């Protein structure tokens, strides 16, 4: 079991000790998406959703989620987040279908990375879009969520 960092010698879960890791600038960018029909797309872009400005509320939800990641991901360290930025891009897919791409960038200066915070932010943003629009159409699909890139730390840089 010693090959796994989150297990102790008895095979039980543990939080990895990061006290000996160097503090460096770290950044992670994750992506998620929400696929929807033209009616939902138009309601969002024309500000017709009754719950309010969908993208603004979803953006705030993503920031809040990044800050709370360690509260519900058991082995995640609570870390000081330097910044969270969420961006959106609309893509017309086919046959009156649209996809909202959601990118979440999280930064810190610390001794552990922010990949989980970026993934959590992207996920919560997509979930919030779904929640705010489900009265219009429950058939929306939350797409794959994945890490686009990370920088800093012992393991070096990664780019998908």
């Amino acid at each position: 079991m010693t090959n796994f960092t989150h297990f102790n010698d008895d095979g039980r879960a543990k939080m990895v000790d990061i006290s000996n890791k160097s503090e460096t600038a770290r950044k992670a960018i994750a992506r998620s998406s929400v696929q929807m029909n033209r009616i939902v797309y138009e309601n969002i872009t024309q500000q017709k959703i009754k719950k309010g400005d969908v993208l603004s509320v979803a953006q705030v939800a993503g920031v809040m989620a990044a800050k709370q990641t360690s509260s519900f991901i058991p082995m995640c360290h609570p870390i000081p987040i330097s910044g969270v930025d969420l961006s959106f891009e609309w893509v017309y897919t086919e046959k009156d279908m649209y996809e909202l791409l959601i990118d979440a960038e999280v930064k810190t200066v610390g001794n552990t990375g922010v990949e989980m915070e970026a993934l959590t932010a992207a996920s919560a943003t997509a979930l919030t879009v779904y929640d705010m629009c489900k009265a219009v159409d429950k058939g929306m699909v939350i797409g794959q969520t994945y890490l686009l890139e990370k920088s800093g730390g012992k393991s070096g840089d990664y780019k998908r």
Side-chain angles (χ1 to χ4, degrees):
M1 286 272 178
T2 57
N3 293 343
F4 295 101
T5 59
H6 285 81
F7 291 105
N8 64 19
D9 291 336
D10 297 325
R12 297 217 168 284
K14 73 169 187 174
M15 181 181 272
V16 174
D17 181 2
I18 59 171
S19 60
N20 291 327
K21 292 174 77 178
S22 299
E23 283 198 359
T24 61
R26 297 160 186 264
K27 177 178 84 170
I29 302 173
R31 174 171 286 168
S32 191
S33 65
V34 183
Q35 298 169 349
M36 63 196 69
N37 63 32
R38 180 185 50 78
I39 295 167
V40 177
Y41 164 77
E42 288 175 353
N43 273 271
I44 293 172
T45 58
Q46 296 170 16
Q47 303 280 326
K48 292 183 178 178
I49 297 293
K50 291 181 182 176
K51 289 186 174 185
D53 182 342
V54 173
L55 299 185
S56 291
V57 173
Q59 205 162 18
V60 172
V63 170
M64 292 173 67
K67 297 187 324 184
Q68 293 298 317
T69 301
S70 66
S71 295
F72 62 95
I73 305 291
M75 300 306 164
C76 238
H77 294 83
I79 58 172
I81 293 175
S82 303
V84 180
D85 187 23
L86 287 122
S87 60
F88 303 101
E89 179 184 345
W90 288 104
V91 178
Y92 176 78
T93 53
E94 60 181 292
K95 298 179 184 170
D96 276 349
M97 295 299 290
Y98 294 82
E99 184 172 25
L100 176 63
L101 300 179
I102 300 161
D103 286 357
E105 178 181 280
V106 180
K107 293 180 180 179
T108 191
V109 175
N111 48 4
T112 191
V114 286
E115 296 92 341
M116 292 308 299
E117 287 74 9
L119 289 161
T120 300
S123 298
T125 302
L127 288 166
T128 302
V129 170
Y130 185 95
D131 177 57
M132 292 190 71
C133 300
K134 68 182 183 279
V136 177
D137 180 31
K138 291 175 181 51
M140 293 173 288
V141 175
I142 295 175
Q144 294 181 335
T145 302
Y146 52 92
L147 185 67
L148 282 174
E149 62 183 82
K150 65 133 329 241
S151 61
K154 186 173 117 180
S155 67
D157 296 349
Y158 166 82
K159 193 163 190 165
R160 181 174 289 277

